[in-house]
Amino acid sequence: NWDEHMELMFDLQVVALQTDMTRVITFITGVDQENRTHPESGTSKSWHGASHHGNVPAAIMDYNLINTYRLGKQAYFLDKMRNTMEGDQNLLDKSVVVWGSSMGDPNLHNHRRCPLLLLGHGNGMLEGNMHIKAADGTPMANVFLSLMHKFGLKNNTFGDSTGEFALSV
């Protein structure tokens, strides 16, 4: 089942980071066009079907239920990271976890203003406990360019970036 699969994949990621097998993991929790349902979320609609909500309030709420449920599984991973010590710090404090979506408004297949969460402190590079709203038209690549600079990479651009995105207030 999806819950068990997520926990197993998160467990493997923590072990890979803990044992220094890797420092970078890319993980997709579902394919955009999948028709998997998550009845535990409170709706029987599929994730993809619910994403095309037609701006109908009840349908938007179904999509919200599914996304809240799926994002809630991230808590398992974050707890594992927080409870895994590496030297004098936990793995979450030493890491940056990026959680996002490729769609800002999936009903329109809009790729602008996509939600993006940065979790962890990246060895002190990220302050945390902030909500920063990007100005309209800001490419998500600006956040990645800023992260690259914090990691010491000297790239001037990344993807369709137009400059750095302030990761502090």
Side-chain angles (χ1 to χ4, degrees):
N1 86 19
W2 190 80
D3 290 342
E4 291 172 350
H5 177 75
M6 289 298 104
E7 290 181 9
L8 176 62
M9 296 305 293
F10 288 144
D11 289 346
L12 290 171
Q13 290 173 50
V14 169
V15 168
L17 292 169
Q18 185 181 27
T19 59
D20 219 10
M21 291 179 72
T22 188
R23 285 290 167 208
V24 177
I25 296 170
T26 302
F27 178 56
I28 186 170
T29 62
V31 179
D32 288 347
Q33 292 185 339
E34 78 178 354
N35 285 313
R36 174 184 291 275
T37 61
H38 299 280
E40 303 88 346
S41 69
T43 182
S44 61
K45 290 186 177 177
S46 71
W47 182 84
H48 184 248
S51 75
H52 293 287
H53 48 69
N55 289 322
V56 175
I60 291 171
M61 288 311 299
D62 283 335
Y63 188 53
N64 184 2
L65 286 171
I66 296 167
N67 283 311
T68 299
Y69 172 74
R70 288 172 55 125
L71 180 58
K73 288 294 152 192
Q74 186 74 15
Y76 176 86
F77 181 55
L78 297 174
D79 284 342
K80 295 281 283 191
M81 298 273 288
R82 188 178 300 113
N83 292 318
T84 302
M85 297 303 292
E86 186 177 82
D88 60 348
Q89 284 185 297
N90 67 55
L91 204 50
L92 184 58
D93 284 341
K94 296 181 87 168
S95 303
V96 175
V97 177
V98 179
W99 179 279
S101 173
S102 60
M103 295 282 175
D105 182 350
N107 187 57
L108 302 173
H109 284 203
N110 181 340
H111 299 283
R112 297 287 182 203
R113 299 196 41 90
C114 299
L116 187 65
L117 297 174
L118 302 179
L119 308 159
H121 290 282
N123 263 342
M125 289 188 291
L126 297 177
E127 294 176 33
N129 299 319
M130 294 182 295
H131 175 262
I132 305 170
K133 183 178 178 183
D136 287 346
T138 303
M140 185 186 289
N142 288 8
V143 173
F144 293 113
L145 181 66
S146 296
L147 283 173
M148 291 166 64
H149 289 168
K150 285 192 174 284
F151 292 135
L153 300 170
K154 305 293 183 202
N155 298 46
N156 293 325
T157 62
F158 179 78
D160 65 348
S161 66
T162 57
E164 285 200 41
F165 183 83
L167 296 175
S168 61
V169 286

